[in-house]
């Protein structure tokens, strides 16, 4: 039996030792730690997503398009070929841009005979964006300075690449299979720079939203396609954000996340302190929360046992031991009335009690022990609710009983 009991004891100890980690894992402090960790992880994840979204929004609002291409559809039959295209919401102010025209021309005899021709490029403000192409062309050609709709104007020459007849014939013969298969065409693509680092002032009226192109030539020319290319020349923070996107994302997202997390933590501390102070003030203001205090020393120093200010308004009579007369306490109203009627009533009552009963008055001198007790400052106050007395009342009654017994002994 002893071995079995010992085995059970060892088994119980082993089970208790095995359950110690379980109890620690499910204890109240551990549950609070789990809850705090969950809330911190959730808040951090939300703030991280918010930081990422904020950086993406900042990037697309601060960094403009670096490359803008538009096709210009030329109009023929009314003098020089011209065309207007829209670039609305593609450019921003205070950002340098390089603007160039791309011309795809066939190597026809007319184009070769035209030689040098002029390209006219005008950037138009949004105010006159609804004007007709003819009005836009005339306003651009009349004057560069007097037309308020033209924000920038540039005129550049262009020409097809010249080749001698022998070189041209040899080149075509060598590339004849490619021409037959359609993999090569007798055309040439010209890219003419029209603006280098053009900057627009602040304000939406100073940023162009339309482009006008005019081709001036002595001969009638043919075009496959005409387009405009605008390239932003980044610098400073925009250059860093565009050329180092991953590092910029990590830096700005981390900074935003740190600031938001710190702000959230400070807001939590302020809110918790405010709620704790509010709850403490509410608990102090609840009824019944005050603790009854003992009379202070200042109150005891100014206590007058013969004063009627501390008496209740109701008169009371209390029984005594043996054949002694019952104790009668006059109320405040009755005492004042009797004093006003006859100030000698109290003296006569005291003499009557002493003559008939032989009991000394309650204010008689006591023995040494009573004198020590009387030396202590006490107070007698009627609670005013039934016969209940507080601690000061109990002390006053005990002293009066001592006075009664002392007076009775001396009377006998």
């Amino acid at each position: 039996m002893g071995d079995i009991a010992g085995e059970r004891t060892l088994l119980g100890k082993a089970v208790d030792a095995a359950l110690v980690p379980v109890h620690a894992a499910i204890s109240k402090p551990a549950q609070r730690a789990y809850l705090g960790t969950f809330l911190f992880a959730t808040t951090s994840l939300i703030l991280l997503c918010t930081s990422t979204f904020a950086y993406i929004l900042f990037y697309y609002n601060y960094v403009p398009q670096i490359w803008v291409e538009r096709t210009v559809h030329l109009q023929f039959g009314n003098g020089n070929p011209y065309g207007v295209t829209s670039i609305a919401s593609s450019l921003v102010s205070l950002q340098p841009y390089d603007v160039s025209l791309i011309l795809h021309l066939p190597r026809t005899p007319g184009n070769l005979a035209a030689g040098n021709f002029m390209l006219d490029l005008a950037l138009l403000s949004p105010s006159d964006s609804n004007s007709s192409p003819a009005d836009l062309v005339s306003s651009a050609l009349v004057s560069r300075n007097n037309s308020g709709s033209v924000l920038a104007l540039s005129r550049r020459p262009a020409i097809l690449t010249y080749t001698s007849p022998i070189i041209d014939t040899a080149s075509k013969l060598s590339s004849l299979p490619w021409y037959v298969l359609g993999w090569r065409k007798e055309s040439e693509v010209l890219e003419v720079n029209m603006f280098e680092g053009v900057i627009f002032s602040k304000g939406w009226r100073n940023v162009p939203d339309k482009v006008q192109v005019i081709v001036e030539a002595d001969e009638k020319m043919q075009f496959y396609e005409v387009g405009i290319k605008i390239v932003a020349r980044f610098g400073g923070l925009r250059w860093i954000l565009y050329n180092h996107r991953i590092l910029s994302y990590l830096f700005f997202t981390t900074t935003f996340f740190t600031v938001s997390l710190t702000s959230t933590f400070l807001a939590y501390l302020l809110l918790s302190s405010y709620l704790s102070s509010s709850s403490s003030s509410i608990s102090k203001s609840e009824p019944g929360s005050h603790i009854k205090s003992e009379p202070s020393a200042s109150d005891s120093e100014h206590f007058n046992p013969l004063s009627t200010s501390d008496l209740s308004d109701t008169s009371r009579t209390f029984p005594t031991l043996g054949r002694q007369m019952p104790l009668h306490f006059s109320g405040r109203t009755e005492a004042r009335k009797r004093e006003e009627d006859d100030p000698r009533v109290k003296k006569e009552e005291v003499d009557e009690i002493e003559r008939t009963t032989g009991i000394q008055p309650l204010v008689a001198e006591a023995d040494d022990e009573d004198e020590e007790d009387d030396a202590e400052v006490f107070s007698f106050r009627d609670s005013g609710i039934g016969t209940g007395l507080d601690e000061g009342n109990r002390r006053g009654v005990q002293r009066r009983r001592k006075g009664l017994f002392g007076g009775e002994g001396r009377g006998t």
Side-chain angles (χ1 to χ4, degrees), residues 23-37:
H23 293 319
I26 62 176
S27 61
K28 292 294 183 180
Q31 292 178 5
R32 288 194 293 267
Y34 298 153
L35 181 59
T37 304

Side-chain angles (χ1 to χ4, degrees), residues 27-292:
S27 61
K28 292 294 183 180
Q31 292 178 5
R32 288 194 293 267
Y34 298 153
L35 181 59
T37 304
F38 174 75
L39 293 177
F40 177 78
T42 304
T43 305
S44 301
L45 182 60
I46 294 174
L47 292 178
L48 181 60
C49 295
T50 305
S51 303
T52 303
F53 177 76
Y55 173 75
I56 294 173
L57 189 64
F58 163 74
Y59 180 86
Y60 279 100
N61 280 276
Y62 184 74
V63 180
Q65 291 179 321
I66 192 173
W67 191 287
V68 179
E69 284 190 356
R70 296 290 187 273
T71 300
V72 180
H73 302 282
L74 295 179
Q75 305 295 319
F76 294 89
N78 187 14
N80 296 320
Y82 65 89
V84 178
T85 187
S86 176
I87 55 171
S89 66
S90 298
L91 308 182
V92 295
S93 60
L94 303 178
Q95 170 62 49
Y97 288 98
D98 295 335
V99 184
S100 60
L101 281 175
I102 301 175
L103 307 175
H104 190 192
L105 298 90
R107 295 182 63 85
T108 60
N111 289 342
L112 293 174
N116 285 314
F117 56 93
M118 295 300 297
L119 298 175
D120 189 293
L121 179 64
L123 302 177
L124 308 178
S125 65
S127 58
D128 293 320
S129 59
N130 295 327
S131 301
S132 62
D135 296 336
L136 295 177
V137 172
S138 61
S139 64
L141 294 177
V142 169
S143 176
R144 300 180 185 179
N145 299 324
N146 296 333
S147 179
S149 62
V150 179
L151 297 177
L153 182 65
S154 177
R155 292 170 59 84
R156 301 290 172 88
I159 188 175
L160 289 173
T161 304
Y162 171 77
T163 55
S164 63
I166 299 177
I167 300 298
D168 184 55
T169 302
S171 176
K172 289 179 181 180
L173 290 175
S174 62
S175 302
L176 185 59
W178 310 117
Y179 287 112
V180 172
L181 294 175
W183 293 353
R184 184 173 294 181
K185 295 180 181 180
E186 294 185 69
S187 63
E188 187 176 350
V189 177
L190 299 178
E191 183 173 351
V192 183
N193 295 326
M194 304 299 293
F195 292 100
E196 293 84 14
V198 60
I199 301 176
F200 309 104
S201 303
K202 283 187 176 181
W204 65 273
R205 291 182 178 275
N206 298 323
V207 179
D209 69 341
K210 284 188 180 295
V211 176
Q212 173 202 15
V213 179
I214 301 175
V215 180
E216 301 177 10
D218 297 334
E219 299 288 338
K220 189 175 182 179
M221 299 185 65
Q222 297 82 32
F223 299 88
Y224 282 141
E225 187 179 6
V226 177
I228 184 173
K229 182 177 71 174
I230 304 175
V231 180
R233 187 185 295 178
F234 289 153
L237 181 59
R238 286 175 176 170
W239 184 87
I240 295 174
L241 293 175
Y242 183 80
N243 293 279
H244 303 281
R245 301 179 185 180
I246 298 178
L247 294 178
S248 301
Y249 166 76
L250 294 177
F251 175 77
F252 285 99
T253 303
T254 304
T255 303
F256 189 87
F257 174 77
T258 304
V259 172
S260 58
L261 188 62
T262 305
S263 304
T264 305
F265 181 71
L266 293 178
Y268 171 76
L269 290 181
L270 293 176
L271 184 61
S272 60
S273 61
Y274 173 76
L275 293 178
S276 61
S277 61
S278 300
S279 61
S280 61
S281 61
I282 292 174
S283 62
K284 289 181 179 180
S285 62
E286 288 180 354
S289 60
H290 299 284
I291 301 176
K292 188 174 182 180

